[in-house]
Amino acid sequence: MPVILDPDANAVLNVFRDAGRPPYETLTPPEAREWYLKARPVANPEPPELASVIALTIPGPAGAIPARLYKPKTLRQQDGLSPCMVFFHGGGWVIGDLDSHDVVCRFLAHEGEMLVISVDYRLAPEHKFPAAIDDAIAATRWIADNAVQLNIDARHLFVGGDSAGGNLSAIVAIDARDHRGPRLAGQMLIYPATDFRMNHPSHHEPETSCLLTHNVISWFAGHYLNGPADIDNWRASPARAENLKSLPPAYVLIAGADPLRDEGDEYARRLADAGVAVTYKNYPGQFHGFITMGKILPKANEALRDIGGWLKSL
């Protein structure tokens, strides 16, 4: 599939390539995490001013899970309770944290006029599959169980995230349906990783090996998974779930120059075929990870505003 980057995306890609940043697969995970955070000031836009940002601690299966509660200045409320998104950051289950996606969460809270709780799940390789998903499920259930204390309307609880966070969100939604979890109002899947088989065409096209290269995807998978047996486990690859019926409405965003493009596209089609309400957005001229780069990529801010509109429509 031909991929032509938007001019601004192409310019940003060239800047990153010319900067001489070492490929993640040549680094240790701690080194990769440090380099990932160093890119924030260059790419993150100035965030909107919020009413408050509060640190939370959520009990998890292996101890406390750090989290962060974002409250916008304009907040939709009914009887003192507000809609809320439980957010899981991207980073290949190996890098990323509350700080790496702080600006995105601030924009989502502002644009959606809702509460956002960002969850700092355990990372690999220190904590391999299924540690991240166990934390994500536990955090979502705890937030639902304590909704009133957090001023959350449990009838309007969403999950969402980008890349690995989109993967976790899709899995949390399936788990909630199958194991009497919270009744979720929606799932926001931003260029989600859905299939560890990695056999879609976009995993092999030279044009998609941009910032998220084919090599670094294999590096992430090697750190996260315990071995080949995990590939077909739906709790790692939600595309391997046979039944996608009765899941919450989905917002699925894909980027054209992204190795995950085709699996995200296929997952959106399978959701729609299963009767799930799907809002599908394709940014053909953008690469994986663009959503956090609003300072240098206008399309990122456009996408976040569009997501805010979807959230308010529900």
Coordinates of all heavy atoms in Angstrom, one line a residue, residues 49-84:
E49 N -4.8 24.5 30.5 CA -4.9 24.7 32.0 C -6.0 23.9 32.5 O -7.2 24.0 32.0 CB -5.0 26.2 32.4 CG -4.8 26.4 33.9 CD -4.8 27.9 34.2 OE1 -4.6 28.7 33.3 OE2 -4.9 28.2 35.4
L50 N -5.8 23.1 33.6 CA -6.8 22.3 34.2 C -7.2 22.8 35.6 O -6.5 23.6 36.1 CB -6.4 20.8 34.3 CG -6.0 20.1 33.0 CD1 -5.7 18.6 33.2 CD2 -7.1 20.3 31.9
A51 N -8.3 22.3 36.1 CA -8.7 22.7 37.5 C -7.8 22.0 38.5 O -7.4 22.6 39.5 CB -10.1 22.3 37.7
S52 N -7.4 20.8 38.2 CA -6.5 20.1 39.2 C -5.9 18.8 38.5 O -6.5 18.2 37.6 CB -7.2 19.7 40.4 OG -8.3 18.7 40.2
V53 N -4.8 18.4 39.0 CA -4.1 17.1 38.7 C -3.7 16.5 40.0 O -2.9 17.1 40.7 CB -2.9 17.3 37.7 CG1 -2.3 15.9 37.4 CG2 -3.3 18.0 36.5
I54 N -4.2 15.3 40.3 CA -4.0 14.7 41.7 C -3.4 13.4 41.5 O -3.8 12.5 40.7 CB -5.3 14.6 42.4 CG1 -6.0 16.0 42.6 CG2 -5.2 14.0 43.8 CD1 -7.4 16.0 43.1
A55 N -2.4 13.1 42.3 CA -1.8 11.7 42.3 C -2.7 10.8 43.1 O -3.3 11.1 44.1 CB -0.4 11.8 43.0
L56 N -2.8 9.6 42.5 CA -3.6 8.5 43.1 C -2.8 7.3 43.3 O -1.8 7.1 42.6 CB -4.8 8.1 42.3 CG -5.9 9.1 42.0 CD1 -7.0 8.5 41.1 CD2 -6.6 9.6 43.3
T57 N -3.2 6.4 44.2 CA -2.6 5.1 44.4 C -3.7 4.1 44.4 O -4.6 4.1 45.1 CB -1.8 5.0 45.7 OG1 -0.8 6.0 45.7 CG2 -1.2 3.6 45.8
I58 N -3.6 3.1 43.4 CA -4.6 2.1 43.2 C -4.1 0.8 43.6 O -3.0 0.4 43.2 CB -5.0 2.1 41.7 CG1 -5.7 3.4 41.3 CG2 -6.0 0.9 41.5 CD1 -6.0 3.5 39.8
P59 N -4.8 0.0 44.5 CA -4.3 -1.3 44.9 C -4.3 -2.2 43.6 O -5.3 -2.3 42.9 CB -5.3 -1.8 45.9 CG -6.5 -1.0 45.7 CD -6.1 0.4 45.1
G60 N -3.2 -3.0 43.5 CA -3.1 -3.9 42.3 C -2.7 -5.3 42.7 O -2.4 -5.5 43.9
P61 N -2.6 -6.2 41.8 CA -2.3 -7.6 42.1 C -0.9 -7.8 42.6 O -0.7 -8.8 43.3 CB -2.6 -8.3 40.8 CG -2.4 -7.2 39.7 CD -2.9 -6.0 40.4
A62 N 0.0 -6.8 42.4 CA 1.4 -7.0 42.9 C 1.8 -5.8 43.7 O 3.0 -5.5 43.8 CB 2.3 -7.2 41.7
G63 N 0.8 -5.1 44.2 CA 1.2 -3.9 45.0 C 0.5 -2.6 44.4 O -0.3 -2.7 43.5
A64 N 0.9 -1.5 44.9 CA 0.3 -0.2 44.6 C 0.6 0.1 43.1 O 1.7 0.0 42.6 CB 0.8 0.9 45.5
I65 N -0.4 0.6 42.4 CA -0.3 1.1 41.1 C -0.4 2.6 41.1 O -1.5 3.2 41.4 CB -1.4 0.5 40.2 CG1 -1.4 -1.0 40.2 CG2 -1.3 1.1 38.7 CD1 -2.6 -1.6 39.5
P66 N 0.6 3.4 40.7 CA 0.5 4.8 40.6 C -0.4 5.3 39.6 O -0.5 4.6 38.5 CB 2.0 5.3 40.3 CG 2.8 4.1 40.6 CD 2.0 2.9 40.4
A67 N -1.2 6.3 39.8 CA -2.1 6.9 38.8 C -2.2 8.4 39.0 O -1.7 8.9 40.0 CB -3.5 6.2 39.0
R68 N -2.9 9.0 38.1 CA -3.0 10.5 38.1 C -4.4 10.8 37.6 O -4.8 10.4 36.6 CB -1.9 11.1 37.2 CG -1.6 12.5 37.4 CD -0.4 12.9 36.5 NE 0.9 12.5 37.1 CZ 2.0 12.7 36.5 NH1 2.1 13.2 35.2 NH2 3.2 12.3 37.0
L69 N -5.1 11.7 38.4 CA -6.4 12.1 38.1 C -6.4 13.5 37.6 O -6.0 14.4 38.3 CB -7.3 12.0 39.4 CG -8.7 12.6 39.3 CD1 -9.6 11.9 38.3 CD2 -9.4 12.5 40.7
Y70 N -7.0 13.7 36.4 CA -7.0 15.0 35.7 C -8.5 15.5 35.7 O -9.4 14.8 35.3 CB -6.5 14.9 34.3 CG -5.1 14.4 34.1 CD1 -4.8 13.1 34.1 CD2 -4.1 15.3 33.9 CE1 -3.5 12.6 34.0 CE2 -2.8 14.9 33.7 CZ -2.5 13.6 33.8 OH -1.2 13.2 33.6
K71 N -8.6 16.7 36.2 CA -9.9 17.4 36.2 C -9.9 18.7 35.4 O -9.1 19.6 35.8 CB -10.3 17.7 37.7 CG -11.7 18.3 37.8 CD -12.0 18.6 39.3 CE -13.4 19.3 39.5 NZ -13.6 19.6 40.9
P72 N -10.7 18.8 34.4 CA -10.6 20.0 33.6 C -11.4 21.2 34.2 O -12.2 20.9 35.1 CB -11.3 19.6 32.3 CG -12.3 18.5 32.7 CD -11.6 17.8 33.8
K73 N -11.2 22.4 33.7 CA -11.9 23.5 34.2 C -13.4 23.4 33.9 O -14.3 23.8 34.6 CB -11.3 24.8 33.7 CG -10.0 25.2 34.4 CD -9.6 26.6 34.1 CE -8.4 27.0 34.9 NZ -8.0 28.4 34.7
T74 N -13.7 23.0 32.6 CA -15.1 22.8 32.2 C -15.4 21.3 32.3 O -14.8 20.5 31.5 CB -15.3 23.3 30.8 OG1 -15.0 24.7 30.7 CG2 -16.8 23.1 30.4
L75 N -16.2 20.9 33.2 CA -16.4 19.5 33.5 C -17.9 19.1 33.4 O -18.8 19.8 34.1 CB -15.9 19.1 34.9 CG -16.1 17.7 35.4 CD1 -15.3 16.7 34.6 CD2 -15.7 17.6 36.9
R76 N -18.3 18.2 32.5 CA -19.6 17.7 32.5 C -20.0 17.0 33.8 O -19.3 16.2 34.2 CB -19.8 16.8 31.3 CG -19.7 17.5 29.9 CD -19.9 16.6 28.8 NE -18.7 15.7 28.6 CZ -18.8 14.4 28.2 NH1 -19.9 13.8 28.1 NH2 -17.7 13.8 28.0
Q77 N -21.2 17.3 34.3 CA -21.6 16.7 35.5 C -23.1 16.5 35.5 O -23.9 17.2 34.9 CB -21.3 17.6 36.7 CG -19.8 17.7 37.1 CD -19.6 18.5 38.3 OE1 -20.1 19.6 38.5 NE2 -18.8 18.0 39.3
Q78 N -23.5 15.4 36.2 CA -24.9 15.1 36.5 C -25.0 14.6 37.9 O -24.4 13.6 38.2 CB -25.5 14.1 35.5 CG -27.0 13.9 35.7 CD -27.5 13.0 34.6 OE1 -26.9 12.6 33.6 NE2 -28.8 12.6 34.7
D79 N -25.7 15.3 38.7 CA -25.8 15.0 40.1 C -24.5 14.9 40.8 O -24.2 14.1 41.7 CB -26.6 13.7 40.3 CG -28.0 13.7 39.8 OD1 -28.6 14.8 39.9 OD2 -28.5 12.7 39.2
G80 N -23.6 15.8 40.4 CA -22.3 15.8 41.0 C -21.3 14.8 40.5 O -20.1 14.7 41.0
L81 N -21.7 14.0 39.5 CA -20.8 12.9 39.0 C -20.5 13.2 37.6 O -21.3 13.8 36.8 CB -21.5 11.5 39.1 CG -21.9 11.1 40.6 CD1 -22.6 9.8 40.5 CD2 -20.7 11.0 41.5
S82 N -19.3 12.8 37.1 CA -18.8 13.1 35.8 C -18.3 11.9 35.0 O -17.9 10.9 35.7 CB -17.6 14.1 35.9 OG -18.0 15.3 36.5
P83 N -18.4 11.9 33.7 CA -17.8 10.8 32.9 C -16.3 10.8 33.2 O -15.6 11.8 33.5 CB -18.1 11.2 31.5 CG -18.3 12.7 31.5 CD -18.9 13.0 32.8
C84 N -15.7 9.6 32.9 CA -14.3 9.4 33.2 C -13.7 8.4 32.2 O -14.3 7.4 31.9 CB -14.0 8.9 34.6 SG -12.3 8.5 35.0

